[in-house]
């Protein structure tokens, strides 16, 4: 870029929704500008034309015009509703991940982003991802509220301690894009930045393969045996805790009545706060693991429990994609 150029008005547009979001933004801005300018000019012109002139008598008073009232109420209502329907439709598409996204896990802490890939590689303040494939992030924080923001994708989501939030996006262009923390989180909030590196799918597979380290599932299995979880959660009959195989994604009957879906949030809660939602037929004997296992460890445990079988996916697809890429 040469020095005489103005900085760009908008960040690069590099996701499936960024173009449409910019269009909606431009539409709302244009409508607002049009009416602001039209009203300002109208006010000025009318005030000038109909100013009090010397010797003018008091004019005839107007007491209302129903047709006019209907028009200037009806038209703005239609315009504002167009913002609403377009915005809501886009919002729901931005919040609903497609069926089979690439899942990546994020832990925020003062003042860095820790990223874990399903296949093993971990990174700090960098997220490598493939182009043209939906990516879903499951995120939590070790300390305070942070916010994961990628302007080029037009996405932003708060990252909260003690619970999971998710977001998804699909990049349409390879390249390196800014990652910002957009929730004030302490002294070095402004330095809590990173890079999103969007690669061709085969480059991404090569990068994954070169990352080394055990997969999230394998790390979870190791932690599971280290913490002695199998003592109670073995699959034998009469075990002190419920069996975990095939648990993920099912509805769990609770001792207090009612049911809850065994998703990431429920599994996390059951590890950190075991007494909160106890499965019907079991006693409240599990101690909390809050503080004994890190947020990354909890994500690993959940990945392992998911790998024990789900109701929606028959097998774990993550391991095969690497081999497919290697064999080409
Ligand atoms: Cu993390 Cu601001």
């Amino acid at each position: 870029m040469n020095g005489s150029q103005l900085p760009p008005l908008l960040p690069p547009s590099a996701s499936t929704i960024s173009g449409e979001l910019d269009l909606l933004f431009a539409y709302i801005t244009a409508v607002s500008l049009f009416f602001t300018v039209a009203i300002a000019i109208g006010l000025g012109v009318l005030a000038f034309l109909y100013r009090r002139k010397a010797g003018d008598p008091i004019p005839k008073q107007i007491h209302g015009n129903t047709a006019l009232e209907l028009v200037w109420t009806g038209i703005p209502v239609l315009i504002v509703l167009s913002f609403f329907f377009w915005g809501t439709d886009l919002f729901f598409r931005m919040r609903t991940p497609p069926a089979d996204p690439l899942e990546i896990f994020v832990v925020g802490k003062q003042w860095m982003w820790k990223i874990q890939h399903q296949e093993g590689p971990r990174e700090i303040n960098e997220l490598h991802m493939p182009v043209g494939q939906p990516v879903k992030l499951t995120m939590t924080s070790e300390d305070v509220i942070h916010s994961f923001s990628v302007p080029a994708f037009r996405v932003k989501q708060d990252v909260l301690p003690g619970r999971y939030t998710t977001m998804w996006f699909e990049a349409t262009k390879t390249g390196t894009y800014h990652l910002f923390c957009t929730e004030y989180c302490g002294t070095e909030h402004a330095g809590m930045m990173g890079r999103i590196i969007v690669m061709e799918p085969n480059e991404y597979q090569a990068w994954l393969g070169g990352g080394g380290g055990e997969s999230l599932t394998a790390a979870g299995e190791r932690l599971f045996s280290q913490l002695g979880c199998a003592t109670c959660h073995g699959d034998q009959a009469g075990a002190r805790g419920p069996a975990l195989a095939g648990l993920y994604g099912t509805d769990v009957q609770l001792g207090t009545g009612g049911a809850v879906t065994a998703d990431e949030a429920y599994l996390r809660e059951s590890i950190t706060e075991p007494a909160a939602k106890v499965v019907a037929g079991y006693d409240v004997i599990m101690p909390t693991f809050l503080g004994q296992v890190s947020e990354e460890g909890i994500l690993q445990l959940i990945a392992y429990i998911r790998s024990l079988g789900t109701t929606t996916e028959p097998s774990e697809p993550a391991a095969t994609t690497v081999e497919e890429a290697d064999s080409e």
Side-chain angles (χ1 to χ4, degrees):
M1 239 193 267
N2 75 55
S4 65
Q5 266 179 338
L6 288 169
L9 206 55
L10 290 171
S13 171
S15 79
T16 47
I17 54 104
S18 55
E20 185 181 343
L21 197 140
D22 289 350
L23 201 62
L24 176 58
F25 179 66
Y27 169 58
I28 295 174
T29 308
V31 170
S32 308
L33 262 181
F34 172 80
F35 283 103
T36 305
V37 171
I39 289 169
I41 291 176
L43 261 176
V45 168
L46 293 175
F48 180 78
L49 282 180
Y50 299 104
R51 68 193 183 279
R52 181 103 195 252
K53 291 164 193 149
D56 278 356
I58 301 288
K60 198 173 145 242
Q61 300 298 303
I62 298 166
H63 294 286
N65 182 328
T66 309
L68 197 60
E69 294 282 353
L70 286 174
V71 168
W72 71 34
T73 305
I75 291 176
V77 165
L78 291 179
I79 292 174
V80 172
L81 281 178
S82 74
F83 297 169
F84 172 77
F85 283 112
W86 190 358
T88 306
D89 174 57
L90 182 58
F91 177 79
F92 274 97
R93 279 182 282 135
M94 287 171 72
R95 290 302 312 162
T96 314
D100 198 14
L102 177 69
E103 294 210 48
I104 297 178
F105 301 88
V106 175
V107 177
K109 64 173 279 193
Q110 289 168 320
W111 287 276
M112 65 174 78
W113 295 107
K114 296 190 284 187
I115 316 279
Q116 277 193 133
H117 294 258
Q118 199 75 264
E119 292 81 355
R122 302 180 189 204
E123 35 188 350
I124 288 178
N125 293 340
E126 283 195 344
L127 191 162
H128 289 74
M129 60 173 279
V131 69
Q133 191 180 341
V135 172
K136 178 185 165 197
L137 304 183
T138 298
M139 308 185 288
T140 189
S141 166
E142 277 182 22
D143 37 47
V144 300
I145 302 178
H146 302 277
S147 185
F148 194 100
S149 166
V150 186
F153 298 165
R154 310 289 188 272
V155 291
K156 172 157 75 175
Q157 171 63 52
D158 277 11
V159 176
L160 310 176
R163 58 179 281 189
Y164 291 137
T165 52
T166 61
M167 70 193 254
W168 81 275
F169 40 76
E170 179 180 335
T172 50
K173 284 180 204 159
T174 57
T176 301
Y177 305 104
H178 287 297
L179 159 64
F180 294 121
C181 177
T182 43
E183 180 70 46
Y184 181 69
C185 57
T187 318
E188 284 168 51
H189 156 71
M192 192 168 165
M193 295 188 291
R195 304 192 302 158
I196 309 288
I197 296 141
V198 179
M199 315 163 91
E200 292 296 341
N202 56 346
E203 286 172 29
Y204 174 69
Q205 291 302 339
W207 177 87
L208 273 183
E214 58 188 339
S215 74
L216 206 56
T217 309
E221 187 171 7
R222 196 165 45 79
L223 202 52
F224 192 82
S225 80
Q226 260 174 25
L227 294 169
C229 306
T231 319
C232 297
H233 291 286
D235 292 343
Q236 69 275 21
R240 279 176 289 177
L244 303 178
L247 168 72
Y248 180 81
T250 58
D251 284 340
V252 175
Q253 297 301 318
L254 300 180
T256 52
V260 63
T261 303
D263 56 5
E264 281 86 352
Y266 174 68
L267 295 177
R268 186 187 181 283
E269 183 184 60
S270 296
I271 294 168
T272 59
E273 215 183 314
K277 295 194 183 80
V278 180
V279 178
Y282 291 92
D283 295 326
V284 189
I285 52 166
M286 178 170 160
T288 175
F289 283 82
L290 190 66
Q292 296 183 48
V293 45
S294 67
E295 287 297 343
E296 284 157 300
I298 295 173
L299 284 168
Q300 290 164 354
L301 286 172
I302 292 173
Y304 172 62
I305 295 169
R306 281 179 66 165
S307 76
L308 296 175
T310 67
T311 45
T312 47
E313 299 155 79
S315 65
E316 217 236 311
T320 52
T321 39
V322 178
E323 282 157 22
E324 276 164 19
D326 285 347
S327 64
E328 61 179 38

